[in-house]
């Protein structure tokens, strides 16, 4: 039982790290954040679904949501554009942050679907 908890915790942490690396790589390659987010969530979802198997959907969802949240917080805190957005007054900041949260859920659902499909495909190959 303790091994399973450790395995899922390590897997979630690894999924978050892979997502952060992909986020930085897509930013470095100047791939748009929408396309990069979708591609990154699919890759992390496939990774989690392949390694974890059954029950991987919720861990993929949490990993993808967490790495997006971490990456965008760092983007806001350490870039001039992010600081400019956070310093602006009015409801525009709240609308922008709300839009990002909706986008995080969208990415997480896409990655969870990728984990679900990968898990079912690997289960069909074994059986």
């Amino acid at each position: 039982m303790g091994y399973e908890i450790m395995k899922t915790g390590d897997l979630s942490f690894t999924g978050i790290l892979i997502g952060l690396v992909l986020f930085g790589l897509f930013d470095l390659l100047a791939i748009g954040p929408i396309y990069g987010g979708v591609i990154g969530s699919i890759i992390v979802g496939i990774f989690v679904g392949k390694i974890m198997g059954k029950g991987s959907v919720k861990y993929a969802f949490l990993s993808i949501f967490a790495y997006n949240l971490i990456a965008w917080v760092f983007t806001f805190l350490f870039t001039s554009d992010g600081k400019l957005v956070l310093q602006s007054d009015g409801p525009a900041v709240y609308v922008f942050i709300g839009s990002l949260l909706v986008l995080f859920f969208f990415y997480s659902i896409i990655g969870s679907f990728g984990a679900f499909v990968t898990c079912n495909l690997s289960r069909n190959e074994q059986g």
Side-chain angles (χ1 to χ4, degrees), residues 19-37:
L20 287 172
V21 168
L22 288 172
F23 188 90
L25 181 67
F26 293 146
D27 187 45
L28 184 67
L29 296 174
I31 296 174
I34 301 292
Y35 298 121

Side-chain angles (χ1 to χ4, degrees), residues 93-120:
V93 175
Y94 302 117
V95 170
F96 185 72
I97 292 173
S99 300
L100 278 178
L101 288 175
V102 169
L103 206 59
F104 297 169
F105 279 110
F106 178 68
Y107 293 154
S108 299
I109 290 170
I110 289 173
S112 297
F113 183 71
F116 175 76
V117 169
T118 303
C119 175
N120 284 335

